[in-house]
Amino acid sequence: MTWQEIYQSKLTTADEAIKLIHDNDKIVVGFGCGEPLHIERALESHYKEYKNVEIINMLTLVESPWSADELKGHIKLNTLFASKSTRAAINSGNSEFTTSHFYEIPDIIENYICPRVSVVMVSPPDEHGYVSFGTNVDYAKGTTDHCEVVIAQVNKYMPRTFGNAIKHVRDFTCFVEHDEPLPEVLSGEVSAVDMEIGKYCAQLINDGDCLQLGIGSIPNAVCLQLTDKKDLGLHSELVGDGVVPLLESGVINNKKKQTNKGRTVLGAAFGSKILCDYINNNPSVELHPIDYVNNPIEIAKNDNMVSINSCLQVDLLGQVVSDTIGLSQFSAVGGQVDFVRGATMSKGGRSIIAMPSTARGGTVSRIVPIITEGSAVTTPRNDVNYVVTEYGIAQLKGKTLKERTKALIRIAHPAFRLQLMLEYKKRFGEEPFTDEEIKTLKDLVIEKIQNERERITASIESKIEKIKSKN
């Protein structure tokens, strides 16, 4: 049979495809921009026909239906990443959460969770009968190798990507053709605080470095500060739209990489149509399974690897909390530890934890004497190198406990520094700073306040001028 004949013989509808799912099945589905929503909607609409079915996924960008009360006993969710739409269900016990380092997730799924069914989204087949996993190779492609039943939503909006991202139509159980725009992660506004953090991160990045950036406002702010750099590389579990201008301009050209030279390497793409259009049929971008992309040993093969990750809280020992708030699950470990350790093992590598100094509108310090009770440490203190806030850079590797504490106090928000200094004195029986050091800290605060005042004044004056010009 030709590949066209094979493909046609496997075409079906979503309602027919889900008949391959049995009671008590475990179903692993693609996530993020590659979530097969059409097939999921069909399963949701027929939920009464199933008993004790388990959905396994990660970050979802849409409202998740799997935690609704009426689905109890029929379909339940076991996720490896707490999303906005799943946090409440996880923390109430209506949904399950499985924790793991990202690079280990393919092994966790295959050898511990053991799903029977894989549901993914792919591009239409090319002239040779190969479909592409597009935005999401991560764990999705690997599940199609070992699951008994493999159902694929074929979507013309899914970009065709290279690397280890393709599979022949013969290797799928069935196909459901349904075109719909992919879920998107929009860049959003980059704040003045984000820009300050990005500026300090950029100071730690040199020409020729290889980067891991992630998604969100801080990575986007970092990208905006890198336009004057040269010959950067990119090896990242996922990226957003912020990297596209750097790739198009040649700031990121991957010339200095030791592995996949000349190629951007990703596990997933988490952006809008801007990013999808860039990676589509682009041979300079390769997507690979996450157990390769996030393997610390593979990461470390590139010299001068720089990882940039965010967090929720850092204590005065340098312990980093990124995925929990007390006993509540907020997100997941993801690839933070994978890349922190990979960058540390890299020749000339550096790892950066970047965050705003406060949360909840400035009422809570992210640098704390003791992490919130019940929170899980994401990155141990021995792994942490640089911590960055809008107030500067704290370098922790090789520092004593006293030196670590002082460095973190210096980059804490001024409103919380007195409390942290009192904690230092309580722990170590001495004042943390000399009078001259305190004066320097005060001068820094005054400078920051003046700069912010000037920025706000300029913004107001600009708006006034625009109003006047309209009138």
Side-chain angles (χ1 to χ4, degrees):
M1 293 176 69
T2 66
W3 75 259
Q4 292 93 340
E5 291 171 327
I6 295 171
Y7 180 72
Q8 288 296 322
S9 72
K10 294 183 177 185
L11 274 179
T12 187
T13 64
D15 287 344
E16 287 298 313
I18 62 172
K19 290 179 181 179
L20 296 168
I21 297 169
H22 303 158
D23 291 346
N24 303 307
D25 268 349
K26 293 181 179 181
I27 309 167
V28 58
V29 300
F31 78 106
C33 300
E35 188 169 359
L37 296 173
H38 178 63
I39 298 170
E40 289 187 34
R41 287 191 291 266
L43 183 60
E44 179 191 1
S45 67
H46 290 273
Y47 76 89
K48 290 182 180 178
E49 300 170 21
Y50 299 94
K51 292 181 180 178
N52 197 33
V53 168
E54 183 176 307
I55 301 288
I56 299 103
N57 72 2
M58 282 189 68
L59 172 62
T60 182
L61 302 176
V62 298
E63 287 300 314
S64 175
W66 309 123
S67 304
D69 287 340
E70 59 266 28
L71 268 65
K72 285 184 178 178
H74 299 283
I75 302 175
K76 67 175 180 178
L77 173 67
N78 176 9
T79 183
L80 294 105
F81 197 104
S83 311
K84 182 179 180 181
S85 66
T86 61
R87 285 179 195 131
I90 293 166
N91 294 316
S92 69
N94 285 342
S95 293
E96 298 288 347
F97 176 81
T98 299
T99 185
S100 173
H101 297 302
F102 203 177
Y103 90 94
E104 293 182 306
I105 282 178
D107 177 62
I108 293 290
I109 291 174
E110 179 178 358
N111 296 310
Y112 293 86
I113 298 175
C114 305
R116 191 182 76 88
V117 181
S118 169
V119 184
V120 296
M121 191 192 295
V122 297
S123 72
D126 65 11
E127 64 269 28
H128 303 293
Y130 287 90
V131 298
S132 171
F133 286 77
T135 59
N136 288 74
V137 172
D138 42 72
Y139 65 75
K141 183 173 183 287
T143 66
T144 64
D145 292 331
H146 58 74
C147 284
E148 180 182 330
V149 175
V150 181
I151 303 169
Q153 177 180 338
V154 180
N155 187 351
K156 72 178 184 181
Y157 290 95
M158 178 62 86
R160 177 172 299 282
T161 56
F162 295 91
N164 191 353
I166 60 172
K167 203 173 188 72
H168 199 271
V169 296
R170 72 172 73 91
D171 297 321
F172 293 81
T173 306
C174 65
F175 296 98
V176 176
E177 292 184 337
H178 183 81
D179 298 327
E180 58 185 330
L182 307 185
E184 292 186 313
V185 180
L186 301 178
S187 292
E189 187 177 347
V190 176
S191 69
V193 169
D194 295 329
M195 287 299 287
E196 282 294 296
I197 295 169
K199 179 185 74 175
Y200 285 118
C201 289
Q203 290 177 12
L204 297 171
I205 296 171
N206 304 316
D207 292 346
D209 285 347
C210 186
L211 308 181
Q212 175 253 329
L213 290 166
I215 58 173
S217 59
I218 290 178
N220 286 338
V222 174
C223 288
L224 291 171
Q225 310 269 2
L226 297 179
T227 55
D228 61 341
K229 303 292 183 181
K230 297 177 182 178
D231 297 332
L232 297 179
L234 185 58
H235 180 114
S236 193
E237 66 186 74
L238 47 88
V239 294
D241 291 354
V243 302
V244 174
L246 297 176
L247 287 160
E248 290 180 330
S249 67
V251 170
I252 297 176
N253 57 30
N254 300 293
K255 287 182 179 179
K256 303 292 185 180
K257 291 173 72 174
Q258 280 65 49
T259 64
N260 306 106
K261 201 177 188 71
R263 301 287 188 270
T264 288
V265 171
L266 307 173
F270 264 57
S272 69
K273 187 175 182 295
I274 293 170
L275 181 60
C276 285
D277 286 347
Y278 183 81
I279 65 176
N280 183 48
N281 281 319
N282 188 336
S284 74
V285 180
E286 294 187 355
L287 276 88
H288 291 268
I290 212 68
D291 49 3
Y292 169 77
V293 177
N294 277 40
N295 188 322
I297 295 172
E298 296 298 330
I299 295 165
K301 289 179 181 177
N302 281 305
D303 295 347
N304 304 306
M305 188 74 209
V306 180
S307 70
I308 302 175
N309 291 278
S310 61
C311 72
L312 300 171
Q313 201 174 63
V314 178
D315 74 3
L316 292 177
L317 296 175
Q319 298 183 112
V320 172
V321 176
S322 301
D323 63 310
T324 56
I325 301 174
L327 293 173
S328 297
Q329 192 67 44
F330 182 80
S331 55
V333 174
Q336 181 173 125
V337 181
D338 302 342
F339 274 92
V340 166
R341 290 179 174 167
T344 300
M345 291 189 292
S346 163
K347 181 181 178 182
R350 283 138 280 149
S351 68
I352 301 168
I353 301 295
M355 64 177 184
S357 63
T358 62
R360 298 179 190 172
T363 62
V364 176
S365 177
R366 290 181 185 265
I367 296 177
V368 296
I370 300 173
I371 60 176
T372 302
E373 184 178 2
S375 294
V377 173
T378 306
T379 303
R381 62 181 181 173
N382 296 337
D383 287 322
V384 178
N385 191 353
Y386 292 97
V387 178
V388 172
T389 72
E390 70 272 28
Y391 288 97
I393 302 167
Q395 193 277 312
L396 303 186
K397 278 275 184 186
K399 296 292 179 67
T400 67
L401 295 183
K402 290 181 182 180
E403 290 169 339
R404 282 170 169 256
T405 303
K406 288 180 183 180
L408 289 166
I409 292 172
R410 286 190 177 97
I411 66 167
H413 191 281
F416 298 97
R417 286 181 191 165
L418 178 59
Q419 175 193 357
L420 296 172
M421 286 192 281
L422 290 173
E423 178 65 24
Y424 179 99
K425 186 175 182 180
K426 177 182 173 183
R427 290 187 187 186
F428 302 115
E430 62 186 40
E431 296 290 345
F433 302 116
T434 64
D435 291 343
E436 188 169 337
E437 287 175 317
I438 291 173
K439 181 181 181 303
T440 301
L441 285 173
K442 286 181 178 178
D443 290 342
L444 174 64
V445 173
I446 292 169
E447 181 185 348
K448 289 280 185 183
I449 292 171
Q450 288 175 340
N451 290 342
E452 183 65 9
R453 183 182 294 144
E454 291 171 3
R455 186 192 66 80
I456 293 171
T457 301
S459 177
I460 292 171
E461 289 175 349
S462 175
K463 289 177 182 177
I464 292 171
E465 288 301 318
K466 286 181 180 178
I467 294 169
K468 285 181 179 179
S469 65
K470 287 181 180 179
N471 295 332

